[in-house]
Amino acid sequence: MLGFGTLAKKVFGTPNDRKVKASRPLVAQVNALEPKFQAMSDEDLIGKTRELQGRAQSGESLDKLLPEAFANCREAARRALGLRAFDTQLMGGIFLHQGNIAEMKTGEGKTLVATFPAYLNALAGKGVHIVTVNDYLAKRDAGWMSKVFAQLGMTTGVVYPFQQDEEKRAAYQADVTYATNNELGFDYLRDNMKSSVDQMTQRDHFFAIVDEVDSILIDEARTPLIISGPSQDRSELYITLDKFIPELSEEHYKLDEKTRNATFTEEGNEFLENRLRDAGVLPADQTLYDPESTTIVHHVNQALRAHKLFQRDQHYIVRDNEIVLIDEFTGRMMAGRRLSDGLHQAIEAKEGVAIQPENVTLASVTFQNYFRLYDKLGGMTGTAATEAEEFAEIYKLGVVEVPTNRPVQRRDEHDRVYRTAGEKYAAVLETIREANAKGQPILVGTTSIEKSEMLSQMLTKANIPHNVLNAREHEREAYIVAEAGKMGAVTIATNMAGRGTDIQLGGNVEMRVMEELAKTPEAHPDEIRAQVEAEVAAAKKEVQEAGGLFVLATERHESRRIDNQLRGRSGRQGDPGRSLFFLSLEDDLMRIFGSERLEKVLSTLGMKEGEAIVHPWVNKSLERAQAKVEGRNFDIRKQLLKYDDVMNDQRKAVFAQRREIMESEEVAEITADMREQVIADLVEQHMPAKAYAEQWDVAGLKQAVIEQLNMELPVDEWAAEEGSNQDTIRERIQDATDAYMAQKVEQFGAENMNQIEKQVLLQQIDAKWREHLVTLEHLRSVVGFRGYAQRDPLSEYKTEGFQLFERLLDGLRSEVTQQLARIRPLTEAEREQMMRDYLQQQQQTEQSMHAEHEDAEVAEVAGRIPGFDAEDPTTWGNPSRNDPCPCGSGEKFKHCHGRLA
Ligand code: ADP
């Protein structure tokens, strides 16, 4: 009997079916226009573009222009590339334009699909970004598709690392720009560190089409993009703090053996507060609980950890005036590895060796928050459905499964499970041998580089020629993977390798043509193409008869999506194909999820040595295990996002403010407002509105006016006058300051003064913001420790992050006011010196800036969770007691780091 759900689907169709159905009339409209566009001349196609641009820019909706735009684009692609887009490709284009993820299988021609919505949306004149996973693909796709855009009278740009700003700017000015997610994010961050608008490279964030959207918005989104540079020298602080730790006694701190955390007790805090005040590190009126103390608390914590958790000759050695870490489990020295967030410096201080500068974040953003900048997003991938919930929740993106152009013929077999890895690999080898004997091309998938290499050795021993891909050299690997569909080819690849290049049976025509042309440049391209096409067609037939591409996976990946990606490499465009997964009880995934229970069930199913179990129950329970890991990874990304969201609003506010300043003709109003606020605060601070006259701190106010406003005013006399109060004093200070600043404007000239004000504002915003980012990082680690006091770290982080931001604004106002009150005309020589210093500093910062993003690909292949550090228990979260210990010892957590003292 059919369940109600299944029955309902039969009658009404799935929601997906309805979306697909709804797009058909639009596809029909485009088809109806085809003969008309085929009859047009090349100039007419460009003329059509100009007409559509005019209509779009005078307010006609893009939806309305869609049929004509798509018809024009289809015809242009037919002429420029010789490819006539299938109806399913138009459909994909429609979903992208509507701001969805179009799930389209490998080989369905997604590169071409993107040109349709890109062209349509570029008509609005704000530029469209097409986002790829690596630079090789950005260049390849831009090179290929620029022919279509040129045929339509539109420009194409491509952005890549280390490109001159000039070129970048031109690329972003193009109608359609190809770039990787990393480069887009870094350009955004770098733009917001520039000192004038015309130095910025990007323009609007209007519409982005993200190719391999699951890789980019999910796998890579686990770590933020960071631009970092050396911090100011803090050696003094490390050395000062270090001295206090040996003075502590046992009641001052607690060591948590389980998580290897060290925290201060109430007594410890009190003791430290006094010592820090005596040492002048903590101002007299400040406690360790104030948000201003975040950085100090962070570094004291690190000093404590350095002393109590890191033992010389066990965790590190001292060699040549340097700390060298030791891998606890192998005993190897890890030269060059440094602990982050000031921990390494704390150990250096403890050992009295040279303290090396810390690298700090100058700017950072997560992909989640970068891509949310766009007015509209669209995405393409072969595998999105399993992550539909995350796309909807984080990016408001729907997923639509686009039907394949031809029905899928691939045979997906049930998993084969063996008892041991040894038995599994023996079976893998046998299966490869059999298929290879028929000449069937085989793609062997592995989950790590090490395993690829091990398999490669096995095949070499067995005399089976093969290629190995590790997702390291994108371009070279693209060529190899393109040939993986040839007769007799055996290709071993980690899951990510050769992404974005599809495997065509018999060989890849485009790549072969390019190769042949490179070999014989004098030959006629059309003749070469015809020759290659004929050869490939013949070869294809042979491969089809041998069963098409055989995808053989040696393990299941943590996420179902990656397994599906691998499977999907076979059976493109209705080709025959086969996919099969080999597993063993010793696989990581099995080990993590209770292989004991699994083993029991399997032995009742009759598992024997050397024999595989094939049973749907196994597939089901593995998928459940995978869903669990996927869920955990989603949680990690959500957590990252929640923390980044706190900063995101602030970042947006700061970037917007910077931009406003850069774009303003005049900033006098901004600085005057700041001054007014500073004066009001000063007066309120020294003569609170509610206080009696005898409680006023007039002398303090007088001194503060000298410091902040650079004026000696008879504040004491004013205060002594009959009837004076907070308001009258404030007004008189304000008037005196206005006059003083007006005098400066006179002296410098209004235009000059305006330039100076702009510069001071931007410099101060940047300096304060960078300081703030570092403090936020520290706050994050500090609230992590506080988690033990049963407070929710995230809400603490939010509250204090907000307070710190308010302090930032206070500090900014006061710094800008002080500096402007102190400017004086410079001599020619001084001016030149200043300019030189400034340029030098700017150059130094730029040279020492690193753009960093831990490549999810590499992390993934190495089987790691980005952000997770096996050596740093504070990054482990809360492992459950029966899980394997995150340190990698292979023991259960409860028998290793989780052992109760
Ligand atoms: P995907 O990214 O969906 O795997 P690609 O964009 O790499 O696919 O395209 C796969 C292959 O399909 C390319 O070699 C391309 O030339 C071919 N192709 C794409 N669209 C068409 C079409 N409409 N007609 C014929 N071949 C096409």
Side-chain angles (χ1 to χ4, degrees):
M1 201 186 89
L2 290 173
F4 178 74
T6 324
L7 191 66
K9 274 179 200 163
K10 283 223 147 145
V11 179
F12 305 110
T14 63
N16 198 70
D17 295 339
R18 287 195 291 275
K19 286 183 212 159
V20 169
K21 201 168 152 209
S23 72
R24 292 201 192 274
L26 273 174
V27 173
Q29 282 183 48
V30 181
N31 283 337
L33 289 170
E34 190 167 13
K36 183 177 143 204
F37 280 79
Q38 277 180 348
M40 280 160 52
S41 70
D42 285 355
E43 292 76 54
D44 289 344
L45 298 190
I46 294 179
K48 191 71 195 175
T49 298
R50 301 290 169 253
E51 177 207 317
L52 294 174
Q53 279 170 327
R55 283 161 61 189
Q57 287 164 33
S58 56
E60 205 167 321
S61 84
L62 294 177
D63 290 341
K64 234 172 124 195
L65 303 179
L66 187 146
E68 283 172 88
F70 274 37
N72 204 15
C73 190
R74 178 189 254 175
E75 182 54 22
R78 201 182 59 84
R79 290 185 199 180
L81 306 176
L83 301 177
R84 177 187 172 273
F86 307 124
D87 286 0
T88 48
Q89 288 177 306
L90 299 183
M91 217 177 252
I94 293 169
F95 297 134
L96 289 173
H97 165 68
Q98 293 168 345
N100 291 298
I101 291 173
E103 184 181 276
M104 298 182 77
K105 305 270 174 270
T106 315
E108 291 293 306
K110 292 188 280 292
T111 319
L112 180 61
V113 169
T115 59
F116 288 83
Y119 171 64
L120 172 61
N121 285 268
L123 294 171
K126 295 182 191 166
V128 173
H129 296 170
I130 299 183
V131 189
T132 64
V133 281
N134 64 48
D135 296 309
Y136 161 71
L137 290 173
K139 286 183 194 171
R140 185 198 72 179
D141 292 355
W144 195 17
M145 294 302 142
S146 63
K147 294 183 191 140
V148 180
F149 293 117
Q151 185 89 39
L152 289 160
M154 283 206 165
T155 53
T156 312
V158 56
V159 170
Y160 48 88
F162 305 113
Q163 199 176 17
Q164 295 296 317
D165 273 6
E166 198 88 358
E167 282 174 45
K168 268 197 185 270
R169 214 167 295 126
Y172 280 120
Q173 281 300 325
D175 292 304
V176 179
T177 309
Y178 286 81
T180 63
N181 47 329
N182 279 9
E183 211 47 27
L184 286 168
F186 287 137
D187 282 342
Y188 168 67
L189 293 177
R190 282 189 289 250
D191 269 0
N192 284 292
M193 297 163 87
K194 297 277 163 69
S195 50
S196 72
V197 180
D198 52 345
Q199 290 173 351
M200 296 172 98
T201 57
Q202 293 187 339
R203 47 178 181 147
D204 303 276
H205 294 99
F206 173 58
F207 178 39
I209 300 171
V210 185
D211 193 8
E212 309 275 4
V213 64
D214 53 333
S215 293
I216 293 180
L217 298 190
I218 290 190
D219 299 329
E220 308 223 357
R222 280 192 248 166
T223 54
L225 292 171
I226 293 175
I227 291 190
S228 69
S231 73
Q232 79 219 65
D233 185 5
R234 258 203 273 259
S235 323
E236 282 301 316
L237 180 66
Y238 292 117
I239 293 169
T240 314
L241 297 182
D242 184 70
K243 294 203 194 94
F244 301 141
I245 307 298
E247 295 176 15
L248 297 170
S249 50
E250 277 189 13
E251 75 270 14
H252 288 144
Y253 60 88
K254 272 199 304 243
L255 296 184
D256 188 332
E257 293 288 332
K258 184 173 152 214
T259 52
R260 288 183 69 203
N261 265 331
T263 42
F264 288 101
T265 58
E266 280 298 325
E267 290 89 353
N269 268 331
E270 206 168 302
F271 174 82
L272 276 174
E273 241 166 38
N274 291 326
R275 301 292 284 117
L276 290 167
R277 280 199 195 112
D278 293 345
V281 178
L282 196 68
D285 55 351
Q286 194 172 318
T287 76
L288 284 180
Y289 294 100
D290 293 338
E292 287 89 339
S293 307
T294 302
T295 290
I296 297 173
V297 173
H298 169 78
H299 287 298
V300 184
N301 277 334
Q302 298 294 54
L304 183 67
R305 295 179 70 203
H307 276 265
K308 305 297 175 193
L309 298 173
F310 287 81
Q311 311 304 337
R312 183 171 178 164
D313 296 332
Q314 182 187 349
H315 300 103
Y316 61 89
I317 56 158
V318 179
R319 192 181 62 181
D320 301 337
N321 200 23
E322 262 185 55
I323 303 293
V324 182
L325 298 175
I326 300 178
D327 184 327
E328 245 186 285
F329 301 102
T330 63
R332 273 183 306 116
M333 281 191 275
M334 302 189 286
R337 270 283 311 264
R338 292 180 65 79
L339 297 160
S340 56
D341 290 336
L343 185 54
H344 212 91
Q345 285 77 3
I347 299 176
E348 286 168 338
K350 166 184 160 193
E351 294 295 345
V353 302
I355 297 181
Q356 294 178 27
E358 202 184 328
N359 240 359
V360 296
T361 301
L362 303 177
S364 83
V365 68
T366 54
F367 285 123
Q368 289 91 330
N369 278 321
Y370 173 74
F371 282 105
R372 283 168 170 182
L373 292 173
Y374 287 87
D375 295 347
K376 185 166 78 178
L377 262 186
M380 311 184 287
T381 172
T383 45
T386 48
E387 254 70 25
E389 181 196 338
E390 180 161 352
F391 287 123
E393 186 175 327
I394 310 281
Y395 299 97
K396 310 271 173 280
L397 280 168
V399 176
V400 189
E401 293 167 67
V402 181
T404 51
N405 182 45
R406 299 221 179 98
V408 180
Q409 304 274 356
R410 185 187 59 235
R411 204 152 43 87
D412 294 328
E413 299 176 29
H414 283 310
D415 297 355
R416 294 195 186 162
V417 188
Y418 293 82
R419 289 191 331 171
T420 63
E423 291 166 38
K424 172 177 83 172
Y425 283 109
V428 165
L429 188 61
E430 209 32 56
T431 312
I432 293 176
R433 206 199 299 271
E434 271 168 35
N436 182 247
K438 292 190 298 179
Q440 181 173 30
I442 311 168
L443 179 68
V444 188
T446 71
T447 52
S448 75
I449 294 174
E450 291 73 38
K451 287 177 188 153
S452 285
E453 273 154 17
M454 185 198 75
L455 255 172
S456 167
Q457 282 168 12
M458 282 172 47
L459 291 188
T460 308
K461 243 194 229 151
N463 267 327
I464 301 175
H466 59 277
N467 281 309
V468 184
L469 308 183
N470 288 331
R472 285 275 161 86
E473 300 164 63
H474 299 308
E475 176 152 8
R476 198 182 65 85
E477 296 188 0
Y479 278 91
I480 297 179
V481 93
E483 300 291 276
K486 276 186 164 170
M487 231 16 215
V490 177
T491 314
I492 302 178
T494 53
N495 292 316
M496 299 288 172
R499 242 179 347 181
T501 303
D502 78 334
I503 302 175
Q504 303 184 6
L505 302 186
N508 185 308
V509 175
E510 300 303 325
M511 295 223 176
R512 285 279 313 282
V513 170
M514 275 196 278
E515 265 176 355
E516 292 298 322
L517 280 176
K519 267 190 262 169
T520 49
E522 67 284 355
H524 195 279
D526 291 345
E527 278 168 26
I528 293 258
R529 176 172 292 274
Q531 191 191 330
V532 169
E533 275 174 0
E535 277 172 30
V536 169
K540 180 171 176 172
K541 200 149 168 272
E542 213 184 342
V543 176
Q544 279 173 330
E545 275 156 19
L549 180 66
F550 178 16
V551 167
L552 187 161
T554 54
E555 208 167 313
R556 269 194 189 252
H557 190 271
E558 280 189 352
S559 120
R560 288 168 292 175
R561 186 168 42 82
I562 312 273
D563 290 343
N564 291 340
Q565 265 173 21
L566 185 64
R567 260 192 226 285
R569 293 194 151 252
S570 161
R572 57 178 298 280
Q573 291 286 341
D575 286 338
R578 173 185 181 197
S579 79
L580 174 57
F581 281 67
F582 284 82
L583 315 173
S584 89
L585 294 182
E586 292 173 351
D587 292 354
D588 290 341
L589 193 66
M590 301 279 218
R591 281 217 321 252
I592 296 174
F593 291 93
S595 56
E596 285 156 31
R597 191 172 149 250
L598 206 66
E599 204 166 345
K600 244 184 241 149
V601 177
L602 293 180
S603 65
T604 52
L605 289 172
M607 177 171 238
K608 293 201 203 79
E609 184 173 345
E611 265 179 37
I613 282 276
V614 182
H615 197 280
W617 180 86
V618 177
N619 295 9
K620 277 262 162 53
S621 51
L622 268 174
E623 276 169 21
R624 268 200 302 275
Q626 287 174 310
K628 221 164 140 184
V629 182
E630 288 161 17
R632 189 187 67 195
N633 287 336
F634 184 17
D635 285 341
I636 292 176
R637 289 186 294 271
K638 266 203 279 204
Q639 192 72 0
L640 172 71
L641 186 59
K642 279 185 194 153
Y643 278 92
D644 190 56
D645 277 345
V646 175
M647 192 204 291
N648 195 44
D649 293 334
Q650 302 178 357
R651 174 175 43 229
K652 283 206 289 206
V654 168
F655 286 1
Q657 183 71 66
R658 276 187 110 256
R659 209 186 159 108
E660 192 188 317
I661 291 167
M662 290 191 291
E663 282 172 344
S664 303
E665 293 277 311
E666 271 203 40
V667 294
E669 207 172 305
I670 300 176
T671 54
D673 282 348
M674 288 183 160
R675 207 153 43 232
E676 197 180 316
Q677 186 68 48
V678 167
I679 294 169
D681 288 347
L682 281 183
V683 176
E684 171 61 25
Q685 200 183 328
H686 295 93
M687 331 177 33
K690 292 200 190 89
Y692 297 110
E694 27 314 348
Q695 292 170 309
W696 292 349
D697 176 10
V698 177
L701 181 58
K702 186 169 173 161
Q703 186 55 32
V705 170
I706 293 175
E707 279 162 21
Q708 296 266 322
L709 304 168
N710 198 26
M711 273 184 303
E712 209 174 330
L713 296 178
V715 180
D716 36 2
E717 287 166 28
W718 296 343
E721 283 170 22
E722 188 63 32
S724 62
N725 59 29
Q726 200 198 34
D727 290 337
T728 61
I729 300 285
R730 194 190 55 240
E731 275 160 28
R732 290 172 86 161
I733 298 178
Q734 182 73 50
D735 290 345
T737 314
D738 287 347
Y740 180 61
M741 294 313 291
Q743 204 185 325
K744 284 195 190 287
V745 175
E746 192 98 344
Q747 205 173 11
F748 284 85
E751 186 37 37
N752 231 344
M753 186 70 182
N754 191 36
Q755 284 310 322
I756 296 170
E757 285 179 319
K758 258 192 192 185
Q759 205 169 1
V760 169
L761 275 170
L762 287 177
Q763 271 173 8
Q764 283 307 317
I765 289 181
D766 289 349
K768 291 269 180 282
W769 175 241
R770 283 173 200 177
E771 232 171 80
H772 182 66
L773 286 182
V774 175
T775 316
L776 281 182
E777 260 171 37
H778 293 164
L779 179 62
R780 219 174 137 163
S781 79
V782 172
V783 295
F785 285 108
R786 286 191 204 148
Y788 294 89
Q790 323 304 204
R791 281 183 283 185
D792 171 28
L794 182 64
S795 66
E796 294 262 311
Y797 180 76
K798 273 186 192 159
T799 325
E800 298 210 1
F802 183 73
Q803 287 175 10
L804 284 167
F805 191 66
E806 288 190 320
R807 305 290 143 94
L808 175 155
L809 296 178
D810 285 343
L812 178 67
R813 278 194 290 266
S814 123
E815 196 66 43
V816 168
T817 303
Q818 270 189 58
Q819 286 207 8
L820 290 177
R822 280 194 165 66
I823 55 162
R824 58 180 176 81
L826 301 177
T827 65
E828 194 58 33
E830 279 177 319
R831 210 196 320 273
E832 272 171 21
Q833 183 60 40
M834 218 173 105
M835 207 58 211
R836 267 199 301 276
D837 289 350
Y838 175 72
L839 287 177
Q840 200 185 356
Q841 195 195 343
Q842 189 89 344
Q843 219 172 8
Q844 265 171 4
T845 315
E846 266 172 35
Q847 278 168 356
S848 56
M849 254 164 40
H850 302 278
E852 300 164 27
H853 179 246
E854 185 176 9
D855 205 337
E857 218 168 81
V858 175
E860 196 82 59
V861 167
R864 283 186 293 114
I865 301 169
F868 166 92
D869 182 354
E871 271 142 36
D872 181 1
T874 60
T875 63
W876 295 356
N878 285 323
S880 76
R881 306 201 20 87
N882 284 315
D883 280 352
C885 188
C887 74
S889 62
E891 300 272 349
K892 284 192 174 176
F893 182 65
K894 64 182 176 196
H895 298 312
C896 187
H897 279 83
R899 210 173 38 216
L900 299 175

